């Protein structure tokens, strides 16, 4: 009897060693498993609750729990959870009274990072409205498209964007979109069709709680947000973020180990999933404090972190490179940052960041705005975007010679995710064609349905997942997706350009791909660098403007008349490998002839893009 007991105890004693030898990441896997199970149980309780429990309800619970705790720190101002609640109550009443906003409306936010962005979103949630988060860099055709595709009823714009709104005002009036510009006081010179929602009107409204019946028709499956993403159509698509998806995605902070006493630094734009869902809503779910900044500044980044005692930062790959390229200082390691949460971090930059700025735990994540799949590198393996786990297997596929999908486990393959009730794909608002293009049917068995991520990944022998490339007519630069078709459409509007083929090329020391265009000029016309510069500056955000232009006699196409990009991308912007004329977009001079010396300066990092 005792021998058996001692044997069992001895076995239990050496079990951890055995498990560790079999899996050196056993401890982290176990911790991650427990976290996910507990989180899953909580989400299931929320799904079953009547009425359903939204992120707004989560925020209101935090207001009750710690009303005087700092929620938002912005420049020289700070707001407690109670302050934000009361300001959003005032805004909800002002919007209801002066803008006739009501349950079911879609309201577009066209503004930069500031506390008012948060106040407005909470106010809209209290009225049962959907919020369309517009990229404040977009203009003209793209801007109008965003209104149309999500059925906008009301536009709320920052005062500094008034001119941009007035450019498209005739079309907005045709679509019966009510336009309001936020301002300190009422405008003396009124533009017909543009109303001012002044600070005085907002402050005159009551700050008392609103009746929950105002949002009584909102359900777990109702759209909460429209967040715009670029795609192969060339124009932004409105990804539908339901209340269910919003709550689940906001749990990324919890999975990463962020706590309620953390201070979270948000400088990424709030119109992005990273800034708004993972950052802002994740902070609400955790009940922590947010330090909000208008935009990223490498010069002020660590000073902000030290000043506000920031413990958690967000990033995209380019941001980390900017920080590593900034001048070294004696106090580089003097900060309280313990965790960095984000995506797109290259292995070399990752290692350099840790070596320079200290022992910061990096949680690299993977996900898509509209996707139904996401994972996190909870181990901290440099270069990996995640790790396979028995709770979620990563499905990669390739096509065989017969055009059929076959599973692929150890080579580069396309990431697909099964569409189920637990992992739904809501698609794009009012765009069934593009929604269907993201679905793959009969992938592994007859009748199955998968989400096509468009991303090529690889899994190593330990189960770590690595991002390899992106499929389709988009490339990523400065943390933004650039749609080649949209850039092409703008280029061919320049008088001298007959055809254009836009693609991304790799640049040494940079993440993503920078924009380049091969163009064919109209007969008997020369390249008009000035007109081209003026057009791209007024029509495209800075990250989408082609930095290199290659002039060709004709543009190569396939047998089905599709433009050929691969060879052009491989040749890049090196003048020595081509006979064509090549131009470079120099910030202060415009498009100037590209030289071999300039190529070497860019490749060596002496010229920064």
């Amino acid at each position: 009897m005792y021998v058996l007991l001692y044997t069992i105890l001895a076995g239990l004693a050496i079990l951890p060693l055995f498990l560790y030898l079999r899996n050196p990441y056993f401890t982290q896997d176990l911790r991650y498993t427990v976290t996910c199970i507990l989180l899953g149980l909580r989400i299931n309780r929320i799904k079953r609750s009547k009425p359903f429990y939204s992120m707004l309800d989560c925020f209101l619970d935090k207001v009750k729990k710690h009303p005087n705790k700092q929620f938002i720190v912005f420049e020289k101002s700070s707001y407690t959870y109670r302050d934000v609640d009361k300001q959003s109550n005032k805004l909800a009443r002002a919007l209801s009274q002066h803008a006739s906003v009501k349950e079911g409306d879609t309201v577009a936010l066209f503004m930069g990072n500031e506390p008012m962005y948060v106040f407005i979103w909470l106010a809209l949630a209290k009225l049962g409205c959907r919020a369309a988060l517009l990229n404040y860099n977009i203009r003209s055709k793209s801007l109008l498209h965003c209104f149309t595709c999500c059925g906008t009823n009301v536009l709320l714009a920052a005062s500094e964007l008034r001119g941009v709104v007035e450019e498209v005002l005739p079309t907005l009036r045709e679509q019966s979109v009510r336009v309001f510009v936020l301002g300190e006081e009422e405008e003396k010179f009124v533009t017909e069709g543009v109303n001012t929602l002044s600070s005085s009107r907002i402050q005159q409204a009551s700050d008392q709680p609103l009746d929950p019946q105002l949002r009584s028709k909102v359900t777990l499956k109702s759209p909460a947000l429209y967040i715009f993403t670029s795609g192969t159509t060339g124009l932004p698509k409105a990804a539908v973020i339901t209340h269910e998806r919003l709550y689940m995605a906001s749990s990324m902070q919890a999975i990463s180990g962020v706590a309620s006493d953390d201070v979270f630094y948000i400088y990424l734009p709030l119109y992005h999933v990273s800034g708004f869902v993972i950052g802002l809503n994740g902070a609400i779910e955790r009940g922590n404090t947010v330090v909000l900044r208008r935009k990223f500044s490498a010069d002020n980044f660590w000073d902000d972190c030290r000043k506000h005692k920031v413990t958690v930062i967000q990033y995209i790959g380019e941001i980390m490179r900017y920080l590593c390229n900034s001048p070294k200082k004696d106090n580089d390691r003097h900060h309280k940052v313990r965790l960095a949460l984000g995506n797109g971090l290259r292995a070399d930059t990752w290692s350099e960041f840790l070596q320079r700025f200290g022992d910061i735990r990096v949680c690299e994540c993977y996900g898509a705005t509209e996707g139904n799949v996401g994972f996190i590198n909870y181990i901290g393996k440099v270069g990996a975007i995640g790790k396979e786990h028995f709770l979620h297997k990563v499905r990669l596929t390739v096509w065989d010679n017969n055009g059929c999908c076959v599973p692929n486990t150890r080579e580069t393959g396309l990431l697909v995710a099964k569409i189920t009730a637990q992992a739904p794909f809501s698609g794009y608002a009012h765009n069934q064609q593009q929604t269907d293009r993201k679905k793959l049917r009969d992938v592994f068995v007859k009748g199955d349905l998968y989400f096509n991520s468009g991303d090529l990944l690889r899994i190593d022998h330990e189960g770590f997942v690595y991002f390899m490339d992106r499929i389709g007519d988009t490339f990523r630069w400065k943390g933004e997706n650039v749609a080649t078709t949209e850039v092409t459409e703008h280029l061919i509007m320049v008088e001298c350009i007959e055809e254009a083929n836009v693609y991304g090329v790799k640049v040494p020391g940079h993440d993503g791909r920078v924009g380049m265009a091969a163009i064919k000029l109209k007969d008997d016309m020369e390249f008009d660098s000035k007109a081209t510069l003026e057009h791209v500056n007024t029509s495209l955000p800075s990250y989408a403007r082609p930095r290199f232009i290659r002039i060709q006699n004709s543009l190569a196409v396939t047998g089905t008349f599709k433009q050929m990009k691969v060879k052009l991308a491989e040749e890049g912007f090196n003048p020595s490998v081509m006979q064509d004329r090549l131009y470079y977009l120099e910030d202060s001079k415009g498009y100037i002839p590209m030289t071999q010396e300039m190529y070497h300066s860019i490749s060596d990092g002496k010229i920064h893009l």
Side-chain angles (χ1 to χ4, degrees):
M1 180 69 179
Y2 289 110
V3 174
L4 178 60
L5 179 61
Y6 290 145
T7 303
I8 293 173
L9 291 174
L12 291 174
I14 65 171
L15 180 60
L17 176 62
F18 172 76
L19 292 172
Y20 176 80
L21 292 174
R22 288 288 304 273
N23 176 14
Y25 308 105
F26 169 73
T27 304
Q28 295 100 316
D29 285 345
L30 179 62
R31 188 184 302 119
Y32 177 75
T33 301
V34 172
T35 301
C36 288
I37 290 174
L38 293 176
L39 184 62
L41 291 173
R42 188 166 83 237
I43 290 176
N44 283 332
R45 285 197 303 271
I46 290 169
K47 287 182 177 181
R48 293 195 302 266
S49 63
K50 302 292 183 181
F52 90 99
Y53 189 83
S54 66
M55 283 306 302
L56 172 61
D57 295 311
C58 181
F59 168 75
L60 294 175
D61 280 349
K62 297 300 188 294
V63 174
K64 293 176 183 177
K65 184 176 180 180
H66 37 61
N68 298 317
K69 181 177 182 177
Q70 277 191 334
F71 176 29
I72 299 174
V73 177
F74 179 77
E75 296 178 349
K76 296 181 180 180
S77 303
S78 67
Y79 303 85
T80 65
Y81 274 82
R82 178 191 282 131
D83 293 336
V84 174
D85 182 37
K86 291 194 172 190
Q87 285 298 320
S88 62
N89 288 340
K90 285 175 176 286
L91 259 161
R93 285 190 163 83
L95 289 170
S96 177
Q97 180 180 352
H98 300 293
S100 302
V101 173
K102 62 186 183 304
E103 183 176 16
D105 281 348
T106 297
V107 180
L109 275 64
F110 193 44
M111 56 196 303
N113 285 14
E114 58 176 291
M116 181 62 76
Y117 204 110
V118 185
F119 302 161
I120 292 174
W121 171 65
L122 288 168
L124 295 176
K126 291 175 178 181
L127 293 172
C129 299
R130 307 166 178 132
L133 311 184
L134 302 184
N135 180 338
Y136 53 75
N137 293 297
I138 59 175
R139 299 291 185 269
S140 60
K141 182 179 178 181
S142 296
L143 183 58
L144 288 172
H145 171 77
C146 290
F147 292 116
T148 303
C149 69
C150 63
T152 301
N153 305 100
V154 179
L155 167 65
L156 298 177
S159 57
E160 63 268 21
L161 292 170
R162 183 187 187 105
V164 179
V165 174
E166 289 180 348
E167 289 177 4
V168 296
L169 189 58
T171 305
L172 294 181
R173 292 174 65 183
E174 289 176 6
Q175 296 177 358
S176 300
V177 176
R178 305 189 297 279
V179 178
F180 290 83
V181 173
L182 300 166
E184 290 298 321
E185 298 299 334
E186 300 294 334
E187 296 287 341
K188 294 181 179 179
F189 303 100
V190 179
T191 301
E192 185 179 358
V194 178
N195 305 284
T196 301
L197 188 61
S198 65
S199 299
S200 58
R201 281 188 175 184
I202 296 170
Q203 294 309 315
Q204 288 169 8
S206 169
D207 64 5
Q208 293 303 300
L210 280 82
D211 187 350
Q213 285 300 310
L214 292 172
R215 56 182 187 276
S216 60
K217 296 179 183 177
V218 178
T219 70
L220 194 68
K221 299 294 184 181
S222 298
L225 304 168
Y226 296 116
I227 296 182
F228 293 86
T229 176
S230 298
T232 54
T233 58
L235 289 169
K237 300 188 294 292
V240 180
I241 311 296
T242 64
H243 285 275
E244 177 184 26
R245 172 77 191 283
L246 179 61
Y247 203 101
M248 293 180 69
S250 68
S251 64
M252 188 64 74
Q253 285 196 30
I255 295 174
S256 304
V258 179
S260 61
D261 59 351
D262 276 311
V263 179
F264 199 97
Y265 188 37
I266 298 178
Y267 54 86
L268 298 177
L270 290 176
Y271 61 74
H272 264 188
V273 165
S274 295
F276 191 86
V277 177
I278 297 176
L280 177 65
N281 279 268
I284 291 174
E285 194 278 330
R286 294 281 80 192
N288 57 35
T289 298
V290 167
V291 175
L292 183 65
R293 187 177 177 86
R294 291 188 187 275
K295 57 180 64 177
F296 170 73
S297 167
D299 293 336
N300 296 301
F301 187 94
W302 291 111
D303 289 338
D304 277 352
C305 290
R306 281 184 280 269
K307 177 181 178 181
H308 300 294
K309 296 180 173 59
V310 170
T311 58
V312 183
I313 61 173
Q314 254 188 313
Y315 70 86
I316 55 174
E318 283 290 293
I319 296 299
M320 299 298 228
R321 187 174 63 81
Y322 294 150
L323 293 176
C324 289
N325 287 344
S326 63
K328 292 185 178 182
K329 298 180 179 180
D330 293 337
N331 62 348
D332 277 344
R333 288 178 169 237
H334 296 167
H335 56 76
K336 293 184 178 296
V337 176
R338 65 175 187 85
L339 175 65
L341 177 63
N343 64 280
L345 182 56
R346 283 182 4 181
D348 55 347
T349 305
W350 190 329
S351 299
E352 184 180 354
F353 178 83
L354 294 179
Q355 184 177 8
R356 176 172 171 182
F357 298 108
D359 187 18
I360 299 173
R361 179 169 169 252
V362 176
C363 281
E364 174 81 359
C365 307
Y366 171 86
T369 302
E370 72 277 37
N372 68 335
V373 58
F375 32 85
I376 184 169
N377 178 0
Y378 56 89
I379 300 293
K381 176 75 173 253
V382 174
I385 62 173
K387 185 177 183 293
E388 271 201 316
H389 192 276
F390 76 88
L391 289 176
H392 54 76
K393 288 292 183 181
V394 180
R395 300 299 300 269
L396 303 183
T397 184
V398 294
W399 276 261
D400 63 16
N401 294 333
N402 297 319
C404 299
C405 291
V406 294
N408 180 45
T409 56
R410 290 295 174 257
E411 296 178 6
T412 298
L414 174 68
L415 173 67
V416 295
K418 193 169 187 178
I419 299 174
T420 65
Q422 291 72 37
F425 168 55
S426 300
Y428 308 107
H430 307 296
N431 196 334
Q432 192 59 47
Q433 182 181 14
Q434 288 297 325
T435 298
D436 290 340
R437 286 183 64 177
K438 297 296 287 186
K439 296 177 181 178
L440 295 175
R441 302 178 186 277
D442 305 328
V443 179
F444 299 112
V445 297
K446 187 72 173 177
D448 64 13
L449 184 63
Y450 278 77
F451 169 73
N452 178 2
S453 72
D455 291 331
L456 298 175
L457 308 182
R458 177 178 62 83
I459 307 172
D460 70 11
H461 68 284
E462 292 183 310
F464 286 101
V465 186
Y466 299 85
F467 178 85
M468 303 305 291
D469 209 345
R470 187 181 301 274
I471 296 175
D473 291 330
T474 64
F475 59 88
R476 197 164 180 84
W477 181 246
K478 303 292 185 184
E480 300 278 356
N481 286 335
V482 180
T484 59
T485 311
E486 180 184 8
V487 180
T488 299
E489 288 178 354
H490 282 294
L491 283 176
I492 60 177
M493 293 175 68
V494 179
E495 179 63 22
C496 65
I497 299 176
E498 181 174 325
E499 295 180 67
N501 184 3
V502 178
Y503 49 97
V505 295
K506 291 185 176 181
V507 182
H510 290 69
D511 296 309
R513 295 171 182 263
V514 68
M516 184 168 179
I519 64 171
K520 179 181 181 297
L521 299 174
K522 292 179 181 177
D523 291 341
D524 301 321
M525 293 194 74
E526 289 296 318
F527 178 56
D528 190 338
S529 60
K530 183 178 179 181
T532 305
L533 176 66
E534 289 177 353
H535 189 78
V536 298
N537 278 349
T538 56
S539 304
L540 294 169
S542 58
Y543 57 80
R545 297 166 193 160
R547 293 305 294 259
F548 304 100
I549 288 183
R550 178 177 179 175
I551 299 177
Q552 297 188 300
N553 294 326
S554 61
L555 301 186
V557 296
T558 66
T560 54
F561 302 99
K562 293 181 180 179
Q563 291 181 332
M564 300 175 65
K565 301 176 185 286
V566 176
K567 189 173 186 295
L568 292 170
E570 290 175 349
E571 291 175 348
F573 57 97
N574 186 350
S576 67
V577 301
M578 62 187 76
Q579 299 297 318
D580 303 322
R581 284 183 290 160
L582 195 60
Y583 288 81
Y584 165 65
L585 177 55
E586 212 275 350
D587 291 333
S588 61
K589 299 179 182 179
Y591 285 103
I592 58 176
M594 178 81 175
T595 66
Q596 196 66 37
E597 182 180 354
M598 291 166 61
Y599 170 79
H600 290 306
S601 295
I602 294 171
S603 299
D604 295 340
K606 295 177 182 176
I607 295 179
H608 298 286
L609 301 184

